[in-house]
Amino acid sequence: APLEPAAPPVTREAPRPLSAWRGVRAHLVAGTGNPQRIAEAVRALGIEVELHPLPDHHDYARAGAPSFGDGLPVLTTAKDAVKLPAGLAGWHVLEVDAEIDPV
């Protein structure tokens, strides 16, 4: 089933409409079973992402959140966002739904 964006990215600072992300360079942090698939879905939206795959169920509390030091925004999944420490500047949550193919 293809992954489809369900909602605009939600930032911890202020919401940005999905159209505002087109052409933006960003990091994509994904601790999911198939991070490459999420990267492909995000790139299909016109967002130039550098993928940083993490193990599924990555322990942000123990390992901390990755930091890149280049000023680019960081996108992550809703699954990862709930495990991140509060108040991370520059991090944005991209809501993605798995769409089930009809039988």
Side-chain angles (χ1 to χ4, degrees):
L3 291 173
E4 296 291 338
V10 177
T11 164
R12 291 172 186 264
E13 292 92 29
R16 269 174 94 174
L18 192 55
S19 59
W21 286 97
R22 196 168 308 282
V24 171
R25 288 182 54 231
H27 295 281
L28 173 61
V29 174
T32 62
N34 194 342
Q36 190 60 45
R37 191 168 171 194
I38 293 169
E40 289 168 11
V42 173
R43 287 180 183 128
L45 299 171
I47 304 168
E48 301 172 30
V49 291
E50 181 180 336
L51 176 61
H52 303 278
L54 297 173
D56 200 10
H57 306 292
H58 180 71
D59 186 352
Y60 290 97
R62 195 170 41 105
S67 177
F68 305 105
D70 57 11
L72 293 178
V74 182
L75 298 174
T76 194
T77 66
K79 176 182 170 185
D80 286 296
V82 298
K83 298 183 254 178
L84 288 168
L88 283 178
W91 281 68
H92 306 265
V93 181
L94 182 63
E95 297 285 346
V96 182
D97 274 349
E99 204 160 275
I100 308 303
D101 293 329
V103 253

Coordinates of all heavy atoms in Angstrom, one line a residue:
A1 N 0.8 -1.2 0.0 CA 0.0 0.0 0.0 C 0.9 1.2 0.0 O 1.8 1.3 0.8 CB -0.9 0.0 1.2
P2 N 0.6 2.2 -0.9 CA 1.5 3.4 -0.9 C 1.2 4.3 0.3 O 0.2 4.3 0.9 CB 1.0 4.1 -2.2 CG -0.4 3.6 -2.4 CD -0.4 2.2 -1.9
L3 N 2.3 5.0 0.7 CA 2.1 6.0 1.8 C 1.7 7.3 1.2 O 2.2 7.8 0.2 CB 3.5 6.1 2.5 CG 4.0 4.9 3.2 CD1 5.4 5.2 3.8 CD2 3.0 4.7 4.4
E4 N 0.7 7.9 1.8 CA 0.1 9.2 1.3 C 0.2 10.2 2.5 O 0.0 9.8 3.6 CB -1.3 9.0 0.9 CG -1.5 8.1 -0.3 CD -1.0 8.6 -1.6 OE1 -0.9 9.9 -1.7 OE2 -0.7 7.8 -2.5
P5 N 0.6 11.4 2.2 CA 0.6 12.4 3.2 C -0.9 12.7 3.7 O -1.7 12.9 2.9 CB 1.2 13.6 2.6 CG 0.9 13.4 1.1 CD 0.9 11.9 0.9
A6 N -1.1 12.6 5.0 CA -2.4 12.7 5.5 C -2.7 14.2 6.0 O -3.8 14.6 6.0 CB -2.6 11.8 6.7
A7 N -1.6 14.9 6.3 CA -1.8 16.3 6.8 C -0.5 17.1 6.5 O 0.5 16.5 6.3 CB -2.1 16.2 8.3
P8 N -0.6 18.4 6.6 CA 0.6 19.2 6.4 C 1.6 18.8 7.6 O 1.2 18.4 8.6 CB 0.1 20.6 6.6 CG -1.3 20.6 6.5 CD -1.8 19.2 6.8
P9 N 2.9 19.1 7.3 CA 3.8 18.9 8.4 C 3.4 19.8 9.6 O 2.9 20.9 9.4 CB 5.2 19.4 7.9 CG 5.0 19.3 6.4 CD 3.5 19.6 6.1
V10 N 3.6 19.4 10.8 CA 3.3 20.2 12.0 C 4.6 20.4 12.7 O 5.3 19.5 13.1 CB 2.3 19.4 12.9 CG1 2.1 20.2 14.2 CG2 1.0 19.1 12.2
T11 N 5.0 21.7 12.8 CA 6.2 22.0 13.5 C 5.9 22.4 15.0 O 4.8 22.7 15.3 CB 6.9 23.2 12.8 OG1 7.8 23.8 13.6 CG2 5.9 24.3 12.4
R12 N 7.0 22.3 15.7 CA 6.8 22.6 17.1 C 6.8 24.1 17.3 O 6.5 24.6 18.4 CB 7.9 22.0 18.0 CG 7.8 20.5 18.0 CD 9.0 19.8 18.7 NE 8.8 18.4 18.6 CZ 8.3 17.6 19.5 NH1 7.9 18.1 20.6 NH2 8.3 16.3 19.4
E13 N 7.1 24.9 16.3 CA 7.0 26.4 16.3 C 5.7 26.8 15.8 O 5.0 27.5 16.5 CB 8.2 27.0 15.5 CG 9.5 26.8 16.1 CD 10.2 25.6 15.5 OE1 9.9 25.2 14.3 OE2 11.1 25.0 16.2
A14 N 5.4 26.6 14.6 CA 4.1 27.0 14.0 C 3.8 26.1 12.8 O 4.8 25.7 12.1 CB 4.2 28.4 13.5
P15 N 2.6 25.8 12.5 CA 2.2 25.0 11.3 C 2.7 25.6 10.0 O 2.7 26.8 9.9 CB 0.7 24.9 11.4 CG 0.3 25.3 12.8 CD 1.4 26.2 13.2
R16 N 3.1 24.8 9.1 CA 3.5 25.2 7.7 C 2.6 24.4 6.8 O 2.6 23.2 6.9 CB 4.9 24.9 7.4 CG 5.9 26.0 7.8 CD 7.3 25.5 7.6 NE 7.8 25.9 6.3 CZ 9.1 25.7 5.9 NH1 9.9 25.1 6.7 NH2 9.5 26.0 4.7
P17 N 2.0 25.0 5.8 CA 1.2 24.3 4.8 C 2.2 23.4 4.0 O 3.3 23.7 3.8 CB 0.6 25.3 4.0 CG 1.2 26.6 4.3 CD 1.9 26.4 5.6
L18 N 1.7 22.2 3.6 CA 2.5 21.2 2.9 C 3.1 21.9 1.6 O 4.2 21.6 1.3 CB 1.6 20.1 2.5 CG 2.3 18.8 1.9 CD1 3.3 18.3 2.9 CD2 1.3 17.7 1.7
S19 N 2.4 22.8 1.0 CA 2.9 23.4 -0.3 C 4.1 24.2 0.0 O 5.0 24.4 -0.9 CB 1.8 24.3 -0.9 OG 1.4 25.3 0.0
A20 N 4.3 24.7 1.3 CA 5.5 25.5 1.6 C 6.7 24.6 1.7 O 7.8 25.2 1.7 CB 5.2 26.2 2.9
W21 N 6.6 23.3 1.7 CA 7.8 22.5 1.8 C 8.4 22.1 0.4 O 9.5 21.7 0.3 CB 7.4 21.2 2.5 CG 7.2 21.4 4.0 CD1 6.1 21.6 4.7 CD2 8.3 21.4 5.0 NE1 6.3 21.8 6.0 CE2 7.7 21.6 6.2 CE3 9.6 21.3 4.9 CZ2 8.4 21.7 7.4 CZ3 10.4 21.3 6.1 CH2 9.7 21.6 7.3
R22 N 7.6 22.3 -0.6 CA 8.1 22.0 -2.0 C 9.4 22.7 -2.3 O 9.5 23.9 -2.1 CB 7.0 22.3 -3.0 CG 7.2 21.7 -4.3 CD 6.0 21.8 -5.2 NE 4.8 21.3 -4.6 CZ 4.4 20.1 -4.5 NH1 5.2 19.1 -4.9 NH2 3.2 19.8 -3.9
G23 N 10.4 22.0 -2.7 CA 11.7 22.6 -3.0 C 12.6 22.8 -1.8 O 13.8 23.2 -1.9
V24 N 12.2 22.5 -0.6 CA 13.0 22.7 0.6 C 13.9 21.5 0.8 O 13.6 20.4 0.6 CB 12.0 22.8 1.9 CG1 12.8 22.8 3.2 CG2 11.2 24.1 1.8
R25 N 15.1 21.8 1.2 CA 16.1 20.8 1.6 C 15.9 20.6 3.1 O 15.8 21.5 3.9 CB 17.5 21.2 1.3 CG 17.8 21.2 -0.1 CD 19.3 21.6 -0.4 NE 20.2 20.8 0.3 CZ 21.2 21.3 1.1 NH1 21.4 22.6 1.2 NH2 22.0 20.5 1.7
A26 N 15.9 19.3 3.5 CA 15.7 19.0 4.9 C 16.3 17.6 5.3 O 16.6 16.8 4.4 CB 14.2 18.9 5.3
H27 N 16.5 17.4 6.5 CA 16.9 16.0 7.0 C 15.6 15.3 7.3 O 14.6 15.9 7.7 CB 17.7 16.1 8.3 CG 19.0 16.8 8.1 ND1 20.1 16.2 7.6 CD2 19.4 18.1 8.4 CE1 21.1 17.0 7.5 NE2 20.7 18.2 8.0
L28 N 15.6 14.0 7.1 CA 14.5 13.1 7.5 C 15.0 12.0 8.4 O 15.8 11.2 8.1 CB 13.8 12.5 6.2 CG 12.7 11.4 6.5 CD1 11.6 12.1 7.2 CD2 12.3 10.8 5.2
V29 N 14.5 12.1 9.6 CA 14.8 11.1 10.7 C 13.7 10.1 10.8 O 12.5 10.6 11.1 CB 15.2 11.8 12.0 CG1 15.4 10.8 13.1 CG2 16.4 12.7 11.8
A30 N 13.9 8.9 10.6 CA 12.8 7.9 10.6 C 13.3 6.6 11.3 O 14.2 5.9 10.8 CB 12.3 7.6 9.2
G31 N 12.7 6.3 12.5 CA 13.0 5.1 13.2 C 11.8 4.2 13.0 O 11.1 3.9 13.9
T32 N 11.6 3.7 11.8 CA 10.5 2.9 11.4 C 11.0 1.6 10.7 O 12.2 1.5 10.4 CB 9.5 3.6 10.5 OG1 10.2 3.9 9.3 CG2 9.0 4.9 11.1
G33 N 10.1 0.7 10.4 CA 10.4 -0.5 9.8 C 10.9 -0.3 8.3 O 11.7 -1.1 7.8
N34 N 10.4 0.7 7.7 CA 10.8 1.0 6.3 C 11.0 2.5 6.0 O 10.2 3.1 5.4 CB 9.7 0.4 5.3 CG 10.1 0.3 3.9 OD1 11.1 0.9 3.5 ND2 9.4 -0.4 3.1
P35 N 12.2 3.0 6.5 CA 12.4 4.4 6.4 C 12.6 4.9 4.9 O 12.2 6.0 4.6 CB 13.7 4.6 7.2 CG 14.3 3.3 7.3 CD 13.2 2.3 7.3
Q36 N 13.1 4.0 4.1 CA 13.3 4.3 2.6 C 11.9 4.6 2.0 O 11.8 5.6 1.2 CB 14.0 3.2 1.9 CG 14.4 3.5 0.5 CD 15.4 4.7 0.5 OE1 16.3 4.8 1.2 NE2 15.2 5.7 -0.4
R37 N 10.9 3.9 2.4 CA 9.6 4.1 1.8 C 9.0 5.5 2.2 O 8.4 6.2 1.4 CB 8.6 3.0 2.3 CG 7.3 3.0 1.6 CD 6.7 1.7 2.0 NE 5.3 1.6 1.5 CZ 4.4 0.8 1.9 NH1 4.8 -0.2 2.8 NH2 3.2 0.8 1.4
I38 N 9.3 5.9 3.4 CA 8.8 7.2 3.9 C 9.6 8.3 3.1 O 9.0 9.3 2.7 CB 9.0 7.4 5.4 CG1 8.0 6.4 6.1 CG2 8.8 8.8 5.9 CD1 8.3 6.2 7.6
A39 N 10.9 8.1 2.9 CA 11.7 9.1 2.2 C 11.2 9.2 0.8 O 11.1 10.3 0.3 CB 13.2 8.6 2.2
E40 N 10.8 8.1 0.1 CA 10.3 8.2 -1.2 C 9.0 9.0 -1.3 O 8.8 9.8 -2.2 CB 10.1 6.8 -1.8 CG 11.4 6.1 -2.1 CD 11.2 4.6 -2.4 OE1 10.0 4.1 -2.5 OE2 12.2 3.9 -2.4
A41 N 8.1 8.8 -0.3 CA 6.8 9.5 -0.2 C 7.1 11.0 0.0 O 6.4 11.8 -0.7 CB 6.0 8.9 0.9
V42 N 8.0 11.3 0.8 CA 8.3 12.7 1.1 C 9.0 13.4 -0.1 O 8.6 14.5 -0.5 CB 9.3 12.9 2.3 CG1 9.7 14.3 2.5 CG2 8.5 12.4 3.6
R43 N 9.9 12.7 -0.8 CA 10.5 13.2 -2.0 C 9.5 13.4 -3.1 O 9.6 14.3 -3.9 CB 11.6 12.2 -2.5 CG 12.8 12.3 -1.6 CD 13.9 11.4 -2.1 NE 15.1 11.4 -1.2 CZ 15.6 10.3 -0.6 NH1 15.2 9.1 -0.9 NH2 16.6 10.5 0.2
A44 N 8.5 12.5 -3.2 CA 7.4 12.7 -4.2 C 6.6 14.0 -4.0 O 6.0 14.4 -4.9 CB 6.4 11.5 -4.1
L45 N 6.7 14.6 -2.8 CA 6.0 15.8 -2.5 C 6.9 17.0 -2.9 O 6.5 18.2 -2.7 CB 5.7 15.9 -1.0 CG 4.8 14.9 -0.4 CD1 4.8 15.0 1.1 CD2 3.4 15.0 -1.0
G46 N 8.1 16.7 -3.5 CA 9.0 17.8 -3.9 C 9.9 18.3 -2.8 O 10.5 19.3 -2.9
I47 N 10.0 17.5 -1.7 CA 10.9 17.9 -0.6 C 12.2 17.2 -0.8 O 12.2 16.0 -1.0 CB 10.3 17.6 0.8 CG1 8.9 18.3 0.9 CG2 11.2 18.0 1.9 CD1 8.1 17.8 2.1
E48 N 13.3 17.9 -0.8 CA 14.7 17.3 -1.0 C 15.2 16.9 0.4 O 15.7 17.7 1.2 CB 15.6 18.3 -1.6 CG 15.2 18.8 -3.0 CD 16.0 20.0 -3.5 OE1 17.2 20.0 -3.1 OE2 15.5 20.8 -4.2
V49 N 15.0 15.6 0.7 CA 15.4 15.1 2.0 C 16.7 14.2 2.0 O 16.9 13.5 1.0 CB 14.3 14.3 2.7 CG1 13.2 15.2 3.1 CG2 13.8 13.1 1.9
E50 N 17.4 14.4 3.0 CA 18.6 13.5 3.3 C 18.1 12.5 4.4 O 17.8 13.0 5.5 CB 19.8 14.2 3.8 CG 21.0 13.4 4.0 CD 22.2 14.1 4.5 OE1 22.3 15.3 4.2 OE2 23.0 13.6 5.2
L51 N 18.0 11.2 4.1 CA 17.4 10.3 5.0 C 18.5 9.9 6.0 O 19.6 9.6 5.7 CB 17.0 9.0 4.2 CG 16.4 7.9 5.1 CD1 15.2 8.3 5.9 CD2 16.1 6.7 4.2
H52 N 18.0 9.8 7.3 CA 18.8 9.3 8.4 C 18.0 8.2 9.1 O 17.2 8.5 10.0 CB 19.1 10.4 9.4 CG 19.8 11.6 8.8 ND1 21.2 11.7 8.6 CD2 19.3 12.8 8.3 CE1 21.5 12.8 8.1 NE2 20.4 13.5 7.9
P53 N 18.1 7.0 8.6 CA 17.3 5.9 9.1 C 17.8 5.5 10.5 O 19.1 5.5 10.7 CB 17.5 4.8 8.1 CG 18.8 5.0 7.4 CD 19.0 6.5 7.5
L54 N 16.9 5.2 11.4 CA 17.3 4.7 12.7 C 16.6 3.4 12.9 O 15.6 3.1 12.2 CB 16.8 5.7 13.8 CG 17.4 7.1 13.8 CD1 16.8 8.1 14.8 CD2 18.9 7.0 14.1
P55 N 17.0 2.6 13.8 CA 16.4 1.3 14.1 C 14.9 1.5 14.5 O 14.6 2.5 15.1 CB 17.1 0.7 15.2 CG 18.4 1.4 15.3 CD 18.2 2.8 14.7
D56 N 14.0 0.6 14.1 CA 12.6 0.7 14.5 C 12.6 0.7 16.0 O 13.3 0.0 16.7 CB 11.9 -0.6 14.0 CG 10.4 -0.4 13.9 OD1 9.9 0.7 14.1 OD2 9.7 -1.4 13.7
H57 N 11.7 1.6 16.5 CA 11.5 1.8 18.0 C 12.8 2.3 18.6 O 13.2 2.0 19.7 CB 11.1 0.5 18.7 CG 9.9 -0.2 18.1 ND1 8.7 0.4 18.2 CD2 9.8 -1.3 17.4 CE1 7.8 -0.4 17.6 NE2 8.5 -1.4 17.1
H58 N 13.5 3.2 17.9 CA 14.7 3.9 18.4 C 14.4 4.6 19.7 O 13.4 5.2 19.9 CB 15.2 4.9 17.4 CG 16.4 5.7 17.8 ND1 17.6 5.1 17.9 CD2 16.6 6.9 18.2 CE1 18.5 5.9 18.3 NE2 17.9 7.1 18.5
D59 N 15.3 4.4 20.7 CA 15.1 5.0 22.0 C 15.7 6.4 22.1 O 16.9 6.5 22.5 CB 15.8 4.0 23.1 CG 15.5 4.4 24.5 OD1 15.0 5.5 24.7 OD2 15.9 3.6 25.4
Y60 N 14.9 7.4 21.8 CA 15.4 8.8 21.8 C 15.7 9.2 23.3 O 16.6 10.0 23.5 CB 14.4 9.7 21.2 CG 14.2 9.6 19.7 CD1 13.2 8.8 19.2 CD2 15.1 10.2 18.9 CE1 13.0 8.7 17.9 CE2 14.9 10.1 17.5 CZ 13.9 9.3 17.0 OH 13.7 9.2 15.6
A61 N 15.0 8.7 24.2 CA 15.3 9.1 25.6 C 16.7 8.7 26.1 O 17.4 9.4 26.8 CB 14.2 8.4 26.6
R62 N 17.2 7.5 25.6 CA 18.5 7.1 26.0 C 19.6 7.6 25.0 O 20.6 8.1 25.5 CB 18.5 5.5 25.9 CG 19.7 5.0 26.6 CD 19.6 3.5 26.8 NE 19.1 2.9 25.6 CZ 19.8 2.2 24.7 NH1 21.1 2.0 24.9 NH2 19.2 1.7 23.6
A63 N 19.3 7.6 23.7 CA 20.3 8.0 22.7 C 20.3 9.5 22.4 O 21.3 10.0 21.9 CB 20.1 7.2 21.5
G64 N 19.2 10.2 22.7 CA 19.1 11.6 22.4 C 18.6 11.8 20.9 O 18.6 10.8 20.1
A65 N 18.3 13.0 20.6 CA 17.8 13.3 19.2 C 19.0 13.6 18.4 O 20.0 14.3 18.9 CB 16.8 14.5 19.2
P66 N 19.1 13.2 17.1 CA 20.2 13.5 16.3 C 20.3 15.0 16.1 O 19.3 15.7 16.1 CB 19.9 12.8 15.0 CG 18.8 11.9 15.2 CD 18.1 12.3 16.5
S67 N 21.5 15.5 15.9 CA 21.7 16.9 15.7 C 22.6 17.1 14.4 O 23.6 16.3 14.3 CB 22.4 17.6 16.9 OG 22.7 18.9 16.6
F68 N 22.3 18.0 13.5 CA 23.1 18.1 12.3 C 23.9 19.3 12.1 O 24.8 19.4 11.4 CB 22.1 17.9 11.1 CG 21.3 16.6 11.2 CD1 20.0 16.6 11.6 CD2 21.9 15.4 11.0 CE1 19.3 15.5 11.8 CE2 21.2 14.2 11.1 CZ 19.9 14.2 11.5
G69 N 23.6 20.4 12.9 CA 24.4 21.6 12.9 C 24.5 22.4 11.6 O 25.4 23.2 11.4
D70 N 23.6 22.2 10.7 CA 23.7 22.9 9.4 C 22.5 23.8 9.2 O 22.4 24.4 8.1 CB 23.8 21.9 8.2 CG 22.6 20.9 8.1 OD1 21.6 21.1 8.9 OD2 22.7 19.9 7.4
G71 N 21.6 23.9 10.1 CA 20.5 24.9 10.0 C 19.3 24.4 9.2 O 18.3 25.1 9.1
L72 N 19.4 23.2 8.6 CA 18.3 22.7 7.8 C 17.2 22.1 8.7 O 17.5 21.6 9.8 CB 18.8 21.5 6.9 CG 19.7 21.9 5.7 CD1 20.1 20.7 5.0 CD2 19.1 22.9 4.8
P73 N 15.9 22.3 8.3 CA 14.9 21.7 9.1 C 15.0 20.2 9.2 O 15.6 19.5 8.3 CB 13.6 22.1 8.4 CG 14.0 22.5 7.0 CD 15.4 22.8 7.1
V74 N 14.4 19.6 10.2 CA 14.4 18.1 10.4 C 13.0 17.7 10.3 O 12.2 18.1 11.2 CB 15.1 17.7 11.7 CG1 15.1 16.2 11.8 CG2 16.5 18.3 11.8
L75 N 12.7 16.7 9.4 CA 11.3 16.1 9.4 C 11.4 14.8 10.1 O 12.4 14.1 10.0 CB 10.9 15.9 7.9 CG 10.7 17.2 7.1 CD1 10.4 16.8 5.6 CD2 9.6 18.1 7.7
T76 N 10.3 14.4 10.7 CA 10.3 13.1 11.3 C 8.8 12.6 11.3 O 7.9 13.3 10.9 CB 10.8 13.1 12.7 OG1 11.1 11.7 13.1 CG2 9.9 13.8 13.7
T77 N 8.6 11.3 11.6 CA 7.3 10.7 11.5 C 6.6 11.0 12.9 O 7.2 11.3 13.9 CB 7.4 9.2 11.3 OG1 8.0 8.6 12.5 CG2 8.2 8.9 10.1
A78 N 5.3 10.9 12.8 CA 4.5 11.0 14.1 C 4.9 10.0 15.1 O 5.0 10.2 16.3 CB 3.0 11.0 13.8
K79 N 5.2 8.8 14.6 CA 5.6 7.7 15.5 C 6.9 8.1 16.2 O 7.1 7.7 17.4 CB 5.9 6.4 14.6 CG 6.4 5.2 15.4 CD 6.6 4.1 14.5 CE 7.4 3.0 15.2 NZ 7.8 1.9 14.3
D80 N 7.8 8.7 15.5 CA 9.1 9.1 16.2 C 8.9 10.4 17.1 O 9.5 10.5 18.1 CB 10.2 9.4 15.1 CG 10.7 8.2 14.5 OD1 11.3 7.4 15.2 OD2 10.5 8.0 13.3
A81 N 8.0 11.3 16.6 CA 7.8 12.6 17.3 C 7.4 12.4 18.8 O 7.8 13.1 19.6 CB 6.9 13.4 16.6
V82 N 6.5 11.4 19.0 CA 6.0 11.2 20.4 C 7.1 10.8 21.3 O 7.0 10.9 22.5 CB 4.8 10.2 20.4 CG1 3.7 10.7 19.6 CG2 5.3 8.8 20.0
K83 N 8.2 10.3 20.8 CA 9.3 9.8 21.6 C 10.4 10.9 21.8 O 11.4 10.7 22.6 CB 10.0 8.6 21.1 CG 9.0 7.4 21.0 CD 9.7 6.2 20.5 CE 9.2 5.9 19.0 NZ 9.9 4.8 18.4
L84 N 10.3 12.0 21.1 CA 11.3 13.1 21.1 C 11.2 13.9 22.4 O 10.1 14.1 22.9 CB 11.2 13.9 19.9 CG 11.7 13.3 18.6 CD1 11.2 14.2 17.4 CD2 13.2 13.1 18.6
P85 N 12.3 14.5 22.9 CA 12.2 15.4 24.0 C 11.4 16.7 23.5 O 11.5 17.1 22.3 CB 13.6 15.8 24.3 CG 14.5 15.2 23.2 CD 13.7 14.2 22.4
A86 N 10.7 17.3 24.4 CA 9.9 18.5 24.1 C 10.8 19.7 23.8 O 12.0 19.8 24.2 CB 9.0 18.9 25.3
G87 N 10.3 20.5 22.9 CA 11.0 21.8 22.6 C 12.1 21.8 21.7 O 13.0 22.6 21.7
L88 N 12.2 20.8 20.8 CA 13.3 20.7 19.8 C 13.0 21.7 18.7 O 12.0 21.7 18.0 CB 13.4 19.3 19.2 CG 14.0 18.2 20.0 CD1 14.0 16.9 19.2 CD2 15.4 18.5 20.3
A89 N 13.9 22.7 18.6 CA 13.8 23.7 17.5 C 14.1 23.1 16.2 O 15.1 22.3 16.1 CB 14.7 24.9 17.8
G90 N 13.3 23.5 15.2 CA 13.6 23.1 13.8 C 13.1 21.7 13.4 O 13.4 21.2 12.3
W91 N 12.5 21.0 14.4 CA 11.9 19.7 14.1 C 10.5 19.8 13.7 O 9.7 20.6 14.3 CB 12.1 18.7 15.3 CG 13.5 18.2 15.4 CD1 14.6 18.9 15.8 CD2 13.9 16.8 15.3 NE1 15.6 18.0 15.8 CE2 15.2 16.8 15.5 CE3 13.2 15.6 15.0 CZ2 16.0 15.6 15.5 CZ3 13.9 14.5 14.9 CH2 15.3 14.4 15.1
H92 N 10.1 19.0 12.7 CA 8.7 19.1 12.1 C 8.2 17.7 12.0 O 8.9 16.8 11.6 CB 8.7 19.8 10.8 CG 9.3 21.1 10.8 ND1 8.6 22.3 11.0 CD2 10.6 21.5 10.7 CE1 9.4 23.3 11.0 NE2 10.7 22.9 10.8
V93 N 6.9 17.5 12.2 CA 6.3 16.2 12.1 C 5.5 16.1 10.8 O 4.7 16.9 10.6 CB 5.3 15.9 13.3 CG1 4.7 14.5 13.2 CG2 6.1 16.1 14.6
L94 N 5.8 15.1 10.1 CA 5.1 14.8 8.8 C 4.1 13.7 9.1 O 4.6 12.5 9.4 CB 6.0 14.5 7.7 CG 5.4 14.2 6.3 CD1 4.7 15.5 5.9 CD2 6.4 13.8 5.3
E95 N 2.8 13.9 9.0 CA 1.8 12.9 9.2 C 1.7 12.1 7.9 O 1.5 12.6 6.9 CB 0.5 13.5 9.5 CG 0.4 14.3 10.8 CD 0.4 13.4 12.1 OE1 0.1 12.2 11.9 OE2 0.7 13.9 13.1
V96 N 1.9 10.8 8.0 CA 1.8 9.9 6.9 C 0.9 8.8 7.2 O 1.0 8.2 8.3 CB 3.2 9.4 6.5 CG1 3.1 8.5 5.3 CG2 4.2 10.5 6.3
D97 N -0.1 8.5 6.3 CA -1.0 7.3 6.5 C -0.6 6.2 5.5 O -0.3 6.5 4.4 CB -2.4 7.7 6.2 CG -3.1 8.3 7.4 OD1 -2.5 8.2 8.5 OD2 -4.2 8.9 7.3
A98 N -0.8 5.0 5.9 CA -0.7 3.9 5.0 C -2.1 3.8 4.3 O -3.0 3.7 5.1 CB -0.3 2.6 5.7
E99 N -2.1 3.8 3.0 CA -3.4 3.7 2.4 C -3.5 2.2 2.0 O -2.7 1.6 1.3 CB -3.4 4.6 1.1 CG -4.9 4.9 0.7 CD -4.9 6.1 -0.1 OE1 -4.9 7.2 0.4 OE2 -4.9 6.0 -1.4
I100 N -4.6 1.6 2.3 CA -4.9 0.2 2.1 C -5.5 0.1 0.6 O -6.4 0.7 0.3 CB -5.9 -0.4 3.1 CG1 -5.4 -0.1 4.5 CG2 -6.1 -1.9 2.9 CD1 -4.0 -0.6 4.9
D101 N -4.8 -0.8 -0.1 CA -5.4 -1.1 -1.5 C -6.7 -1.8 -1.4 O -6.8 -2.8 -0.6 CB -4.4 -1.9 -2.3 CG -3.1 -1.1 -2.6 OD1 -3.2 0.1 -2.8 OD2 -2.1 -1.7 -2.8
P102 N -7.7 -1.4 -2.1 CA -9.0 -2.2 -2.0 C -8.8 -3.5 -2.7 O -8.1 -3.7 -3.6 CB -10.0 -1.3 -2.9 CG -9.1 -0.4 -3.7 CD -7.8 -0.3 -3.0
V103 N -9.6 -4.5 -2.1 CA -9.6 -5.9 -2.6 C -10.5 -6.1 -3.7 O -11.5 -5.5 -3.8 CB -9.8 -6.9 -1.5 CG1 -8.5 -7.6 -1.2 CG2 -10.5 -6.3 -0.3

